[in-house]
Amino acid sequence: MAAFLYRMGRLAFRRRLSVALFWAAVLAAVGLAGMTAPEAEEEPFSMPGIESQEAFDLMEERFPGAAADGATARVVFVSPNGEKVTAAENKEAVEAAIAELQDGTQVASTVDPYESGAVSEDGSTAYTTVTYKVDAAGLTDASRSHLDESLEHARDSGLTVEAGGDAMEDMGGPSGTAEAIGVSVAAVVLLITFGSLAAAGLPLLTALIGVGISLFAITALAGPLGLADTTSTVAIMLGLAVGIDYALFIVSRYREERAKGRTPEEAVALATGTAGSAVVFAGLTVVIALAGLSVVGIPMLTEMGLGAAGAVVVGVLIALTLVPAFLGFWPDAILPRKDRKDRKDRRAGGTPRETRKVNGGTRWASFVLRRPLPVLLAAVAGLGALALPMTDLQLGMPGDESKSTETTQRRAYDALAEGFGPGFNGPLTVVVDAKDADDPKAAAETVSERIGGTEGVVSVSPAQFNESGDTAVFSVVPATAPTGQETKDLVNTIRGDRPGIESAAGATFEVTGTTAMNIDVSEKVQSALVPYLLVVVGLAVILLLVVFRSVLVPLKAAVGFLLSVLASLGAVVVVFQQGHGADLLGVETTGPIMSLMPIFLVGIVFGLAMDYEVFLVSRMREAYVRGERPAQAVTSGFEHSARVVVAAALIMIAVFSGFIGDSDAMIKMIGFGLASAVLLDAFVVRMAIVPAVLALLGERAWWLPKWLDRILPRVDVEGEALARPAEPETRPAEKDLTRA
């Protein structure tokens, strides 16, 4: 591996113009494809293999066209000062508002609440549903403005008027603010780390090129594949983070080799052969973790995982080819100013200054090596304490109730809950398949009556039949909120009573709707988490076994990952579920953790955790195979890698933290979870637990059974085949430097 990458790096250096033009052509080609691609029609969320999805599919089959309805806006009217919306003056204002809403050019229909019975029992609240001819993405700015103006005019009458529904959603797409914040902070970190504008700018430039290629490619494929917006957002998030980090490690190793007196070409080749090997295997672990999301069986997760994995692959390829090419264009500009001055002094015949000194990584490693057990116990105890809130983890799919109280959607949700009961915002939909029943109407009535008599059910709507008269649909309003445990218990009770109800009715039924879908998704994700962990962790352990040729080091890496991911999930629960510190992050409403969050966080964090493991431990392994004692190898690894790993972690934290300000609840939660996970994994697990465990294990850390050593392939990540002096074709001045 190292020898192959060594040759690749040398080739990229020598043919740097061709390499740069190739990537420019790739960027231009995918950019053109992305900009000319038709706008994607986002497919609805689906979850194969769960009852609510099967019921929804049955509805699409038996009620053709029902799923193709346009966007809706549910407008809520609340009377002032204890008055009733049925009072003459208020009723006149409501009807005037509905008439104005009906005048919209894209409006298909509105519903009169007084005729449809959409008035609360106490008469304080009423609502109307505005249905549009197009979906939310097809609404024009004029239609949205008309809706907003109609609401304002209705408020002038003294009524409290709010609106929810997909017609109120902001379809503007990502603003780019998160990316800008991440890049800005990354630039500062790189400048401090390298002390050179060129060295700081190169990783940023190559990462942005990689992200551009990935983003345009996803945009071009979004239409044919029906990709969601979150696919590109997550790809940008990860592509930017790993793209900067992978280039950072190549550049750092290049500067290290140049400091030893290597020529630029030889330094590039060695950096690509050694640090590049770590980049390849680190990238592989990330790709395994992301692509492994497909085993969960959730299309949305599969899309996000594969899209992000593609961005990581592009980042790896650019780090191995474009970064060496750019180093060929600016071989000395990448070096610190002090080193550039030393090189001038050497060429002028002067004496170079001695610059080697003990750095912070060496001092920290020495501290841990002197006190490995206390450091290990303190780190494990701290992560364990952070992980404790995980025992209270509640999964769900928050809706309008999770939005800020400053939004009209949230206020509409609260008004409906107060006027019609907390379960009104999350009704269950029951689909009765009476195709084989003797009397379909009687069968539907039996199912409706039996479910309506279940404890926890407030009301059941009249059944609506399809044109064939063999399928009925009705709504069930629970007494509790959509995300409450009581509602989940009610759904399970109704399904548990199914055999008796179906026997009495002579027909089958299934429960669906947004609330039931969220419950089913949560249960499926929880059941898939353990198999997913086994697949991903198992594959990565095998990969690390090949890389480090050790049994205990991969196991230690897996255990460290579990500690960091559980602690980060605990932090997510503390903030987003329990509400501690939520105000600082702009989270006004707490509730269940989004169902897809834990498994997606596990996938990404595992890949990133293995990044740091490979980068840090590969330098220790490199020192060990070249004759250093275990403790000395740990110190050497920290001396060469600690500063760069810290910089890489800070960059990732900055990139992920930028997404905390996103309006999408899932992206906000993922940004916080990833930032906290990287913080814990890089600074607690890799910087404290790893050296402490290696110090306690000593020689045993690198133990590998002889039979296993014989069958494992050798990939030479440490670059043993490259341990030789500089090439003879160096310039005379450079030859003197290699002997210095």
Side-chain angles (χ1 to χ4, degrees):
M1 173 65 76
F4 171 77
L5 293 177
Y6 173 92
R7 292 191 295 271
M8 178 186 290
R10 170 162 284 185
L11 183 64
F13 181 93
R14 290 177 175 177
R15 300 185 179 178
R16 46 190 172 271
L17 182 59
S18 298
V19 172
L21 290 176
F22 168 78
W23 283 110
V26 171
L27 179 60
V30 296
L32 180 62
M35 289 186 290
T36 58
E39 188 173 350
E41 295 183 6
E42 189 168 327
E43 296 182 354
F45 179 83
S46 65
M47 174 75 77
I50 58 177
E51 178 177 327
S52 52
Q53 183 66 53
E54 293 171 355
F56 182 78
D57 294 340
L58 180 63
M59 287 176 60
E60 284 190 315
E61 177 188 342
R62 302 289 177 85
F63 294 84
D69 290 342
T72 59
R74 179 179 283 179
V75 181
V76 186
F77 305 93
V78 181
S79 56
N81 304 322
E83 299 177 7
K84 296 184 181 297
V85 290
T86 52
E89 185 177 349
N90 292 332
K91 183 177 181 181
E92 182 180 348
V94 169
E95 291 177 338
I98 294 174
E100 184 176 357
L101 288 167
Q102 180 66 57
D103 287 339
T105 56
Q106 291 183 300
V107 174
S109 64
T110 55
V111 178
D112 188 323
Y114 303 102
E115 295 180 0
S116 63
V119 179
S120 62
E121 289 186 6
D122 61 3
S124 65
T125 309
Y127 70 89
T128 183
T129 301
V130 182
T131 303
Y132 290 86
K133 302 174 184 177
V134 295
D135 60 16
L139 287 176
T140 63
D141 292 339
S143 292
R144 294 181 183 276
S145 297
H146 175 265
L147 175 58
D148 292 337
E149 290 171 2
S150 300
L151 298 182
E152 287 299 327
H153 294 161
R155 292 181 182 120
D156 293 339
S157 67
L159 295 170
T160 298
V161 185
E162 309 295 348
D166 57 354
M168 301 299 298
E169 296 296 331
D170 180 15
M171 306 299 290
S175 65
T177 303
E179 294 87 337
I181 293 173
V183 170
S184 301
V185 176
V188 173
V189 173
L190 288 169
L191 188 58
I192 294 174
T193 302
F194 285 138
S196 163
L197 286 173
L202 192 149
L204 289 175
L205 176 61
T206 55
L208 289 174
I209 291 173
V211 167
I213 292 172
S214 302
L215 180 59
F216 283 128
I218 291 173
T219 303
L221 295 173
L225 300 181
L227 302 180
D229 290 338
T230 49
T231 303
S232 58
T233 303
V234 174
I236 292 173
M237 185 189 299
L238 282 179
L240 190 60
V242 302
I244 294 174
D245 281 3
Y246 293 165
L248 167 65
F249 279 95
I250 299 287
V251 172
S252 177
R253 187 61 183 256
Y254 169 80
R255 283 157 56 106
E256 184 182 325
E257 296 299 332
R258 288 296 304 276
K260 296 176 182 177
R262 306 281 185 184
T263 64
E265 182 177 326
E266 179 70 4
V268 165
L270 287 171
T272 309
T274 53
S277 297
V279 165
V280 168
F281 283 97
L284 275 176
T285 59
V286 180
V287 170
I288 287 173
L290 293 171
L293 289 169
S294 59
V295 305
V296 180
I298 303 175
M300 180 181 178
L301 271 183
T302 301
E303 293 171 5
M304 293 168 67
L306 293 179
V312 172
V313 170
V314 171
V316 170
L317 293 175
I318 282 183
L320 298 177
T321 57
L322 188 58
V323 170
F326 279 172
L327 289 173
F329 285 118
W330 302 287
D332 291 337
I334 300 298
L335 304 178
R337 183 183 303 174
K338 170 178 60 62
D339 288 358
R340 293 198 299 270
K341 186 177 186 303
D342 282 350
R343 295 184 63 78
K344 290 181 181 178
D345 292 342
R346 284 168 172 166
R347 291 192 178 109
T351 303
R353 292 172 293 175
E354 179 63 44
T355 59
R356 183 180 176 88
K357 62 179 181 179
V358 177
N359 61 27
T362 304
R363 288 193 293 269
W364 172 251
S366 299
F367 171 81
V368 175
L369 291 173
R370 289 195 302 270
R371 307 170 181 83
L373 189 58
V375 169
L376 178 62
L377 293 177
V380 171
L383 292 176
L386 280 175
L388 277 178
M390 261 286 293
T391 57
D392 188 38
L393 176 67
Q394 298 175 9
L395 297 180
M397 293 290 282
D400 285 346
E401 78 279 2
S402 65
K403 290 183 169 62
S404 168
T405 52
E406 296 180 359
T407 63
T408 186
Q409 296 99 314
R410 169 61 190 281
R411 294 194 294 267
Y413 179 95
D414 291 342
L416 288 171
E418 183 176 352
F420 296 89
F424 184 81
N425 285 297
L428 307 175
T429 300
V430 177
V431 185
V432 181
D433 184 358
K435 197 170 186 178
D436 298 327
D438 295 332
D439 187 345
K441 290 187 177 181
E445 289 177 1
T446 300
V447 174
S448 177
E449 290 174 1
R450 294 286 293 270
I451 291 178
T454 304
E455 183 178 356
V457 172
V458 173
S459 63
V460 176
S461 69
Q464 296 182 348
F465 281 84
N466 62 345
E467 291 184 5
S468 302
D470 59 5
T471 307
V473 174
F474 60 87
S475 295
V476 177
V477 178
T480 51
T483 56
Q485 179 62 38
E486 299 87 350
T487 303
K488 179 179 179 180
D489 295 339
L490 174 62
V491 172
N492 291 332
T493 298
I494 293 174
R495 289 172 173 170
D497 294 341
R498 188 186 346 249
I501 299 176
E502 290 181 343
S503 176
T508 62
F509 74 89
E510 293 174 317
V511 182
T512 186
T514 302
T515 300
M517 176 73 79
N518 294 341
I519 293 171
D520 291 346
V521 169
S522 300
E523 292 180 350
K524 180 166 184 176
V525 168
Q526 284 180 311
S527 64
L529 187 56
V530 173
Y532 171 69
L533 278 173
L534 291 176
V535 170
V536 173
V537 174
L539 289 175
V541 166
I542 294 173
L543 183 64
L544 294 179
L545 188 66
V546 173
V547 173
F548 296 127
R549 308 197 71 78
S550 163
V551 172
L552 297 179
V553 169
L555 294 178
K556 167 197 61 63
V559 172
F561 153 72
L562 290 175
L563 286 172
S564 60
V565 76
L566 290 176
S568 63
L569 282 173
V572 170
V573 171
V574 167
V575 175
F576 289 88
Q577 184 176 306
Q578 298 177 351
H580 303 293
D583 292 342
L584 299 177
L585 302 180
V587 181
E588 296 189 11
T589 304
T590 58
I593 303 303
M594 200 161 297
S595 300
L596 303 181
M597 171 66 182
I599 201 162
F600 191 72
L601 182 66
V602 165
I604 297 179
V605 172
F606 180 78
L608 299 182
M610 295 304 102
D611 268 7
Y612 300 123
E613 181 75 12
V614 171
F615 286 130
L616 187 61
V617 180
S618 64
R619 293 307 298 265
M620 299 178 188
R621 171 74 180 172
E622 183 179 338
Y624 178 76
V625 299
R626 292 181 179 176
E628 294 187 9
R629 302 297 299 167
Q632 186 182 3
V634 172
T635 303
S636 295
F638 268 81
E639 177 186 357
H640 295 296
S641 299
R643 186 182 183 191
V644 183
V645 168
V646 167
L650 290 176
I651 289 169
M652 281 201 177
I653 292 169
V655 171
F656 296 146
S657 296
F659 287 86
I660 296 176
D662 197 282
S663 59
D664 187 284
M666 184 172 183
I667 297 300
K668 179 191 288 286
M669 204 176 288
I670 288 176
F672 174 80
L674 289 176
S676 60
V678 170
L679 175 68
L680 296 172
D681 191 85
F683 292 100
V684 181
V685 174
R686 309 303 154 189
M687 290 293 175
I689 292 179
V690 167
V693 170
L694 292 178
L696 292 172
L697 291 175
E699 292 279 356
R700 290 167 295 181
W702 309 108
W703 170 76
L704 184 69
K706 291 182 179 180
W707 64 269
L708 188 57
D709 183 55
R710 287 193 297 269
I711 64 175
L712 285 179
R714 294 186 177 275
V715 294
D716 187 22
V717 176
E718 298 82 16
E720 292 178 81
L722 310 179
R724 59 180 183 271
E727 293 293 323
E729 68 264 24
T730 56
R731 296 188 300 272
E734 297 294 337
K735 288 182 179 179
D736 293 339
L737 292 179
T738 59
R739 292 194 295 268

